[in-house]
Amino acid sequence: MKKIIFFALCLFAAYTASAQGYYGPPRRRPPYRGERHERRQRDDDFYRVKVGVTGGLNIANTIDANNANFSTDAIASFNAGLTLDIPIAYPISFAPEILYSGKGYAANTEYGRFTQRTNYVDVPLLLKVKLAPNFNFLVGPSINFLTSTNNKYEDGFQTEYEHFYNNRGDHTDISGVIGLSVDLSRNVELRGRYNIDLTSSNPDNDSYLPNYRNQVWQIGLGFKFQ
């Protein structure tokens, strides 16, 4: 609940800042012809529905919500998928996505180096707020479907144990997403996100298991088509 309130406050702050920037008092100097054309082109771009593709790097690990001393090492993976941008009312739009996202963590144990890699299909349902002509703030929930898990123990350079689980979407997480994007051009954007589970991966609340929650830093590029 605290995380949901935090995301809501971030959205409110972003909307307030954007409203001040875009709906403040008009400039005294009337815009010249080039400015009027640029502003009209910018508004036309905003009100177009945009579909796109995206891909980038994931830096993932886990936390235990009940134990501040619990820590794991991060692993690298990637994300890729489809994006959609649906204008609502300037400067806010709805930005749902469907992403493949690799997550997991690594840790040193008495049995060797343990690495867990999990593959998800994430469905972020985001609000996108245009803070400036080329700068956007995003926030919202994501529904994440676990598709597969790979657990591996390594002793030095040798794999001691490895097991693959085909989860087929039988486990679902809800996460919160907050991020920024910068429009490098009309069709290319640079994206940065932070994604953390709001639900536990230990739904039975087994006291012998950590309250695992995935957290993922994402960076990548998006390509939009109008």
Side-chain angles (χ1 to χ4, degrees):
M1 181 60 69
K2 291 181 180 179
K3 293 185 177 66
I4 294 174
I5 294 173
F6 172 73
F7 289 132
L9 291 174
C10 289
L11 178 59
F12 177 78
Y15 178 77
T16 302
S18 63
Q20 291 175 349
Y22 284 96
Y23 301 108
R27 290 178 292 182
R28 295 180 181 178
R29 178 180 60 81
Y32 59 83
R33 183 175 180 180
E35 283 183 319
R36 290 196 299 269
H37 175 74
E38 182 179 352
R39 184 179 303 170
R40 184 167 58 250
Q41 184 181 50
R42 183 189 67 190
D43 292 344
D44 289 345
D45 285 345
F46 176 83
Y47 283 106
R48 290 193 179 100
V49 175
K50 307 175 187 69
V51 297
V53 296
T54 185
L57 174 69
N58 279 3
I59 302 297
N61 65 358
T62 61
I63 62 171
D64 182 350
N66 299 326
N67 183 2
N69 295 322
F70 175 83
S71 64
T72 60
D73 297 331
I75 63 172
S77 187
F78 71 95
N79 65 82
L82 303 175
T83 66
L84 186 62
D85 193 328
I86 304 171
I88 298 175
Y90 195 84
I92 299 175
S93 58
F94 177 50
E97 302 175 350
I98 299 178
L99 303 175
Y100 166 87
S101 186
K103 304 175 186 180
Y105 68 97
N108 293 317
T109 74
E110 58 181 317
Y111 305 105
R113 179 73 169 176
F114 175 73
T115 303
Q116 181 179 90
R117 293 187 178 274
T118 51
N119 300 317
Y120 282 82
V121 173
D122 290 356
V123 184
L125 305 172
L126 307 178
L127 282 180
K128 182 177 181 180
V129 182
K130 185 174 284 294
L131 302 180
N134 297 314
F135 191 72
N136 309 290
F137 172 80
L138 298 102
V139 67
S142 178
I143 306 171
N144 312 319
F145 303 93
L146 179 64
T147 61
S148 65
T149 303
N150 184 269
N151 292 333
K152 181 189 294 187
Y153 283 96
E154 297 175 290
D155 184 7
F157 297 100
Q158 182 177 356
T159 298
E160 297 293 332
Y161 171 85
E162 184 171 7
H163 193 86
F164 176 83
Y165 301 89
N166 190 345
N167 300 101
R168 299 180 180 178
D170 59 1
H171 179 77
T172 304
D173 294 324
I174 304 296
S175 62
V177 181
I178 187 169
L180 299 171
S181 68
V182 179
D183 296 323
L184 303 179
S185 71
R186 290 182 63 185
N187 302 107
V188 181
E189 66 174 3
L190 177 65
R191 300 152 49 95
R193 305 273 180 87
Y194 175 69
N195 185 317
I196 186 168
D197 286 354
L198 303 178
T199 54
S200 169
S201 61
N202 180 18
D204 297 328
N205 295 318
D206 190 330
S207 60
Y208 295 101
L209 295 176
N211 186 7
Y212 290 122
R213 295 173 189 261
N214 291 303
Q215 65 173 358
V216 185
W217 295 92
Q218 299 176 321
I219 187 169
L221 291 174
F223 301 90
K224 298 174 287 186
F225 310 97
Q226 303 180 24

